[in-house]
Structure formats: structure tokens, C-alpha cells
Amino acid sequence: MKNELTYRAYSKLALCKRACIQYIKASKGLGILEQTIAIINALSFGIVIFATQNLFDVVTNANYSTSFWQLSVPLLVLVAFIIIRQILEGAEEYIFDYLSYKNMSVYMSELQLKLSRISPKNFENSSFLDNLKRAKEFLEYEEFGLFVYSCLRFFTFYLVLFVSVGFYLFNLSPILILVILIAFVPAVLGQIAQIKIFSKLGDENAPLQRQNDYYKKAIIDKAFFKETRLLGGFNYFYKLFSSTLTEINKNTYKTDKKAFLIRALLSTVSFVGLGASFFILFSEVITGEISIGAFAAVFASLSQIFSIVEQLLTRFSKGIKRIGNLENYYRLLDTHELDGEEQGPNFDLGVRATDTSFTYFGKNEAAIKNITIEIKKGETLAIVGENGAGKTTLVRLLTAIYTPDDNGGIVKVGGLDTKTTNPSSILEEISGVFQNFQNYKMTMQDNVSISDTKNPVNQKKIEISLKEADFNAKNITFDTMLSSEFGGVELSGGQWQRLAIARGLYKTNQFIILDEPTSAIDPIEEQKMYNQFKELSKNKIGVIVTHRLGSVKLADKIAVMDKGKLIDIGTHDELLNKCSKYKEMWQAQAEWYKLR
């Protein structure tokens, strides 16, 4: 099995190149237009300097024979190019603002599609979740667009501007361009030195930020609010929220302090360079080596040049802060995707796990250990065990959501090896209702039909599914919004549970699972629901996962799990006679169901 977290190593330049290509592709023609405008804008800056020199030379050399037109033309040319520059800058800024917001939605969509194509077990990995958190913030705050804009602008604006202006200055005085270069080379090197500290900051703050978001959710989110207030947990979560926020700010302050000291040094170097440049200009105009027009033009533009360089260094500094997030974003995009052959399972062949083991990321001990089990078509299997026994993990393996460890045996679903078959093709005809089902804030019709989005909504089928799930609610139609937040109604816990069951029944299936779905239903209703499930799973493969044993007698066979191992399998009566663990669980729960 391939390593899902394999990441191709990129140099910083290669990261910029990849990001720029992605930006241009997403921007289509507008991206190229934006950079073309940047090139023209850079060239116009040099033209403005030359036009300024020409104007001052004409004025200083003017005499009584100089006509008004001879003086006006250089002025009009200068004004025209200044106006053109302003228009170009405005157009460039407008296009960037438009593309930044537009492309952000494109990148976010690409990321969501990527997440749908990778193994679900990545979401059990805290490092992966930290990376995902950083990547989402990187896109949502439009930092990706700002980073790429800075990279592209370096080549299309700054480089063209410095080459054209540098050529002009070099022709005036070679020493002048040398002083400017010497002044800013250390500044660039200093900015590069910040890469490591800002990458480290991102790594330190990512897990803290996830914790902080969770504590904030525990304080204000609707799902937590009632219990947090009722049990007096507000102050507890507030302290956790404050402590993680303090730690984040502490890490950020330490990093920003280091960056500030570097920037202070850069500003000092820039100030000395600017002063030296002015001195050289003044000396050469006194000695007559350059004209007054050239002096005036360069003097007027030199502060702008240094300002542009400062702007470049600022963008470079911010880009350095973002380089770690960019690398992290591409790490996610390079995560190994689920692959394999696309072929439909033949459920006549049943489902079989052979000597199967599975270990979660970061865990030394396997959650499932050397399990061999088979479910034939038409059979209903109940998987029982205490919390943490590995029941849900086993179901995820039997449904191809997870695949076994590299040396962890084989799982075949409908005759297909889950390691070599694309899981999407196996999941086509598998349906289920799980313990942590979702209460979608959508209409009732959407809540049911969401389990089969590839086909048109079948309202007749929805009605049948709701009836089979024994869903009853007055004054609720297909178009009723099931959320008070959006002007709709709220369902009870039991109603939501039956709606989730209807959702599972709506999807065409040959393999159906009920994974701990009865927590909001009393024992009588639970018995009724399992009897319905037994009827619905006829001629199919059915699996019930539960730690409540009142209704497992209806299953054709019962698998007993403990600490990740399958310790016994058989009918209810067989297990009572031969499996002490099952007998112990049964006797402990018998009073619930009045079975003694």
C-alpha cells in the first residue's frame, strides 16, 4: 500500500513556479492581461524618468528664441505618461482584486475535490488535520493569490523596471547603480533568512489554532451551548480558549520580534544607500558629468525607486511568511489518492475478511488484529462488543472505507480485493446508518435523497423509505426546512434517527449496515426497528453493529469482539453456551429488556 502522506520535495523556486502556473490556468486570459499590464507599467516608469530629464534639459537650455510649443511638448509628454501610469496601476489593481476573489473559490473547490479522492483514514491523523487547517486558512484569507501575485510581479514588473531603470542609471553613472545594488543585496539576504522562522511559526501554531477553534466552538456553537451552560463548563472552556490563544500570540510575537530586528537592519541599509546615491548625484552634477535635467529626473525618481524596492522587500517578506503555508498546501494536493480498478462487485460472492489487521496513524497497537470473518448473501451479521472493541473499524474495513495494513491480510467485497479496487465502485451499492449521523440543515426531501445524488430525486421512493423507517411528523412536507436557523422546524432526536434510517434505505443497495443507530430510541422501538431491518435486508448482506444486545437474536450469526479481536462467532443460543464474554454482556443487559 502506498504511503498516503508521500510528498514530493520542492525547492522554493519550484514552489513559486508551480503556484504561478496554477494561478495563470485558473485566471485564464485575465491573468496574462494582468501581467502584460504590469510589464507596460514597468516600462512606462523608465519612460517617465527619461521624459522628466528631457523636460528639465529643455527648460534649463531655453532662451528668448525658444517657442512656447517647444517648452509645452515635453511637458505634455511627461503628463501623458504619468496619466498612463496611473491608469495602468488602477487597471492592474482592479484585475488583481477580481482574480484574487474569483481564484480563491477555484482553489478551494480543487482542495475539496482532492479531499474526496484520498483515503478517509487520513482524517484520523492529527498531522494531516493540522495541514488541512493551515491550507484552508491559506486559501480563505486569499494568501495564495497574494503570494502568486508577488511572484509574478517580480518578473513582470520589478525585474523589467529595475533592468530598464538600471540601464538608464548605469549610462549616467556606473557607480550609482553599484551603490544601489550594494545597499539592497544585504536586504534581500536578510529576507531570505526569515523563511525558516516563519515556517517554524506555522508548524507551531497549526495544532494550537485547531484546539483554539474547538474551544471556541464549545463556548458558542449551538451543538455545545446547552450542555456547556447547564454543566457550568463555560469558564473551563474559556480558560482553555484563552490559554491556547495566548500561546499562539506568544509564538507570533517571538517570531515577529525577530523579523522586526531584521527589517530594522534592512531599513538602515536602505537609508544609507539612499543617502549615498543622493551624494553621488550631487557630486556629478557639480562636476558637470551629468546634466541638470538628468539630476532632476533621477533625484525625483530615486526616492520612488527606493520606495519600490522597499515595497518589493515587503512583498518578499510577506511571501516568505506564506512559503511554509504554500508548501503545506501542495503537500495536501500531493497526498496519495485512492486508486485501483473500476469494476462492480458481485454480492452473490458475499463479503470476506481473511487474517485482517488495521492500525491507525500514530498508533503502535493495531485496532483490528488478525480477523477472519465471512458474510454470505442473504445473511445478517450482528457485531457486538463493548465500547472500543473495534466494531466500527471492522465495518469500515468490510465496506472498503479503510483498507488493511500492508501485511494485514485481505478484505474482499463482492469478490473484489479492497486494496486493488477503487473504493468508489465498491461503495456504489452499499448503504448504512451510522451512530454519528448528520442532521443536515436542508429540506426533508434533501435530507433523504442526499444518499443518492447521482440519480434524479424520486419522491415516491422517499415516501417508501420514510414509511419503512417509521418516520412520523405532523405538518412536515418534502419542502419543509429542517432547521430553525433557516426559518424551518426542529425534529426530536428520535425523529432525526428515523430520518437517517430513511436516508440509508433510499439508496439502492445490496449491502446495508446499521452502526449503533439506536441511541435515541427506547428498547421497544429498537426491537421494532431491528425487525424492520431484518425484513429489509432479505436477499442482501446485512450488518448490525451494537453494544446493546436486546435485538441481536434476529441476526443469522453474531460476531463477538473484544480489544480488536474476534473472540467468537455463532447464533445467540450457541454463544450463550460457549462464549463467556457474550454471556456476561447478555446477563448485564437482560434487565433492560425484561428478558430474565
Side-chain angles (χ1 to χ4, degrees), residues 1-224:
M1 181 175 63
K2 295 180 181 178
N3 179 6
E4 279 80 357
L5 296 181
T6 297
Y7 173 63
R8 176 183 170 188
Y10 282 90
S11 67
K12 299 300 181 283
L13 186 61
L15 280 173
C16 295
K17 179 181 177 182
R18 181 176 177 182
C20 290
I21 292 172
Q22 187 178 356
Y23 179 86
I24 293 296
K25 284 182 177 178
S27 305
K28 298 181 180 178
L30 277 178
I32 296 174
L33 175 62
E34 176 189 39
Q35 301 314 312
T36 302
I37 291 174
I39 292 172
I40 297 173
N41 190 19
L43 292 172
S44 68
F45 185 87
I47 295 172
V48 167
I49 296 176
F50 182 77
T52 302
Q53 176 187 341
N54 186 50
L55 173 64
F56 275 92
D57 282 340
V58 170
V59 170
T60 54
N61 293 325
N63 51 43
Y64 291 108
S65 63
T66 305
S67 67
F68 176 77
W69 182 247
Q70 288 176 307
L71 293 173
S72 299
V73 169
L75 177 62
L76 292 174
V77 169
L78 176 61
V79 171
F81 276 103
I82 290 174
I83 293 173
I84 288 171
R85 278 209 69 215
Q86 295 300 315
I87 293 172
L88 291 172
E89 287 180 357
E92 189 181 355
E93 184 176 347
Y94 172 79
I95 294 173
F96 167 71
D97 288 340
Y98 172 77
L99 288 179
S100 180
Y101 184 77
K102 172 184 171 292
N103 288 353
M104 185 267 289
S105 62
V106 174
Y107 306 142
M108 188 60 74
S109 296
E110 289 175 351
L111 179 61
Q112 298 300 334
L113 287 172
K114 177 66 182 185
L115 295 177
S116 71
R117 297 193 295 262
I118 65 178
S119 172
K121 67 181 180 181
N122 283 302
F123 294 90
E124 306 284 350
N125 184 350
S126 61
S127 296
F128 176 84
L129 295 175
D130 289 340
N131 291 342
L132 180 58
K133 169 74 177 174
R134 291 174 63 186
K136 284 183 176 179
E137 290 181 346
F138 184 58
L139 298 181
E140 288 171 354
Y141 297 156
E142 300 182 36
E143 290 190 0
F144 181 86
L146 289 167
F147 177 86
V148 176
Y149 178 72
S150 298
C151 288
L152 289 171
R153 194 171 172 80
F154 174 80
F155 292 101
T156 58
F157 177 77
Y158 294 112
L159 188 61
V160 172
L161 184 145
F162 292 143
V163 168
S164 59
V165 173
F167 181 76
Y168 172 82
L169 294 176
F170 185 80
N171 284 331
L172 282 180
S173 174
I175 190 65
L176 186 63
I177 191 67
L178 183 62
V179 168
I180 294 174
L181 286 174
I182 291 174
F184 285 103
V185 165
V188 173
L189 295 176
Q191 293 290 352
I192 293 174
Q194 296 182 77
I195 291 177
K196 185 175 180 180
I197 63 172
F198 282 112
S199 294
K200 182 180 177 182
L201 174 67
D203 293 337
E204 288 178 345
N205 278 356
L208 290 170
Q209 189 63 60
R210 274 203 307 121
Q211 293 174 32
N212 184 259
D213 289 345
Y214 177 76
Y215 299 142
K216 180 170 65 175
K217 187 176 181 181
I219 294 171
I220 65 174
D221 191 85
K222 181 180 177 182
F224 293 83

Side-chain angles (χ1 to χ4, degrees), residues 9 30 53 84 178 206 283 291 309 338 352 367 378 412 465 468 478 510-511 519 541 552-554 559:
L30 277 178
Q53 176 187 341
I84 288 171
L178 183 62
S283 299
S291 68
V309 173
L338 296 169
R352 181 176 177 82
K412 287 192 175 183
S465 300
E468 290 176 342
F478 284 175
Q510 293 297 318
F511 183 3
S519 59
I541 296 172
V552 297
K553 290 192 296 183
L554 62 84

